[in-house]
Amino acid sequence: MSAVIETHDLTKVYKGISKAQDVSALTNLTIEVNEGEIFGYLGPNGSGKTTTIKLLLGLIFPTAGLMKIMGESNITSPMVRKNIGYLPEGAYYPDFLRGEEILRYYGSLYGMKGANLKRRIDEVLEIVGMTRARNRLIRGYSKGMRQRIGLAQALLSDPGILILDEPTTGLDPVARKEIRDLLIQLRDQGKSLLISSHELLEVELISDRVGILFEGVLQTSGTINELLASREFTINAEAAAPEAIQQVREAGLSPEDSVAGSVVLRVPETMSLYDALEICKSRNMKIVSVAPRRETLEEVFVRVVGSAAKGKEHIEENPK
Ligand code: ADP
């Protein structure tokens, strides 16, 4: 699989008026976004996501490190520029304009014109499902429709790479689902997507791989399956009397869900599955199934970011 975006030890320090006021927004970031995948770029506010995007777009310069886009280290070359579509967070378009007018304006910035531009506008409106609303004023668009026009704008030059900053933030559940479906459709057509977000469920639903950033440092990255796999198990048991549930809880198993005599028990990483099953059997529980437990992305995020924050507190409390 070839990488369309690569960074190596990418570092950005925003210089303050004195050294004490310098902000290390990104430190030694090494990531890859592969061709035809959705890469979810996650992190709490202030963790360095937008800084990374601005660096990749050539809007600001790195303090150190390397970037390559489609194998090219000159990331501001016209070939690279044409191949990146960008949707900023909460993209604002003047609401006295019509959807199509916005696209005509952006198309002209790419140097497109005449019949070529008209054909491409028709195509991108079709892709984002806005053909019928093309002549309506932006003022009358829902948030989801505005976001679709934003995506249409990002697609104008038919780029291979899309960089989207918080594309589903602020949308209602129906619009979110529609935008998610659209992003998956674009991925399936061979586009590569870097999506920054703090909305974990959204990212879990569509990303092939994710990276979690905290205070400018990449804490972990990998495929969704790699990150969510855990060494824990769950046991689904029946005939679980309330006292039996209480007893297994005291023995170290955590009931996650119990309905009418049936219970789902979480086996902690520190306990062997064999011991856990013995505990259940000794309380006369009937084992229905045993399954590896997947973490949710939210659990992984809280664990990873939580331990990074704790490590930092420790260093600050015990400076050398
Ligand atoms: P995110 O997009 O994850 O919210 P940002 O990349 O915007 O994070 O910010 C990362 C850090 O860099 C934050 O501490 C932010 O305050 C700081 N920062 C961002 N832009 C600038 C700037 N132009 N000058 C100084 N500090 C900045």
Side-chain angles (χ1 to χ4, degrees), residues 8 10 74-75 135 148 154 159 166 172-173 197 203 235 246 263 297:
H8 296 279
L10 190 62
N74 177 9
I75 58 153
N135 284 318
R148 279 163 190 271
E166 304 275 357
D172 66 45
S197 183
V203 172
I235 299 174
Q246 186 50 33
V263 67
L297 190 54

Side-chain angles (χ1 to χ4, degrees), residues 36-308:
E37 77 174 3
I38 298 184
F39 184 85
Y41 195 40
L42 301 170
N45 282 337
S47 56
K49 304 182 297 295
T50 308
T51 297
T52 311
I53 290 177
K54 284 185 182 163
L55 286 166
L56 289 170
L57 295 170
L59 299 174
I60 54 173
F61 297 103
T63 308
L66 295 173
M67 292 177 276
K68 272 191 189 174
I69 295 180
M70 304 178 90
E72 169 71 69
S73 6
N74 177 9
I75 58 153
T76 52
S77 77
M79 183 282 282
V80 171
R81 284 253 154 103
K82 187 179 169 297
N83 259 303
I84 297 188
Y86 168 54
L87 177 64
E89 184 184 357
Y92 170 81
Y93 303 111
D95 63 2
F96 53 85
L97 291 179
R98 297 166 205 281
E100 185 172 345
E101 287 173 329
I102 296 283
L103 298 179
R104 221 179 294 135
Y105 170 70
Y106 277 92
S108 67
L109 295 184
Y110 280 110
M112 302 162 87
K113 50 183 183 255
N116 253 349
L117 176 58
K118 166 135 192 0
R119 184 167 28 87
R120 187 58 192 155
I121 289 177
D122 290 348
E123 283 167 5
V124 292
L125 284 168
E126 189 66 34
I127 294 172
V128 302
M130 286 288 285
T131 302
R132 283 176 54 200
R134 63 193 293 166
N135 284 318
R136 282 170 46 193
L137 293 177
I138 302 269
R139 186 180 302 143
Y141 283 1
S142 65
K143 278 193 179 155
M145 290 165 89
R146 286 172 197 228
Q147 201 65 332
R148 279 163 190 271
I149 285 292
L151 273 173
Q153 167 266 310
L155 286 166
L156 271 174
S157 67
D158 197 14
I161 301 170
L162 286 170
I163 296 183
L164 313 174
D165 205 353
E166 304 275 357
T168 54
T169 299
L171 302 183
D172 66 45
V174 174
R176 272 164 197 266
K177 165 90 173 74
E178 287 171 357
I179 296 288
R180 274 203 314 265
D181 289 347
L182 191 52
L183 299 182
I184 288 173
Q185 188 189 321
L186 290 166
R187 191 263 321 264
D188 291 346
Q189 287 165 5
K191 306 232 181 264
S192 316
L193 288 84
L194 172 76
I195 299 183
S196 98
S197 183
H198 61 262
E199 308 227 1
L200 303 177
L201 184 61
E202 293 294 312
V203 172
E204 184 175 344
L205 290 171
I206 59 172
S207 297
D208 302 293
R209 289 193 311 123
V210 299
I212 299 180
L213 197 67
F214 178 66
E215 302 215 331
V217 179
L218 188 71
Q219 306 293 330
T220 183
S221 68
T223 65
I224 286 278
N225 279 340
E226 280 163 4
L227 288 186
L228 304 190
S230 92
R231 278 171 285 164
E232 295 185 342
F233 287 89
T234 53
I235 299 174
N236 194 339
E238 267 177 13
E243 358 14 302
I245 295 180
Q246 186 50 33
Q247 285 167 0
V248 295
R249 186 202 297 271
E250 281 159 15
L253 296 171
S254 333
E256 289 203 318
D257 197 12
S258 75
V259 203
S262 134
V263 67
V264 176
L265 297 163
R266 174 171 169 183
V267 183
E269 216 180 296
T270 47
M271 186 187 288
S272 78
L273 183 58
Y274 179 85
D275 288 345
L277 290 170
E278 285 301 306
I279 291 169
C280 294
K281 279 196 275 178
S282 71
R283 269 66 174 191
N284 289 327
M285 288 182 168
K286 183 171 160 239
I287 311 295
V288 179
S289 64
V290 176
R293 182 176 184 279
R294 258 171 88 95
E295 279 188 291
T296 63
L297 190 54
E298 188 167 28
E299 286 171 327
V300 173
F301 186 85
V302 168
R303 181 160 54 72
V304 166
V305 169
S307 71

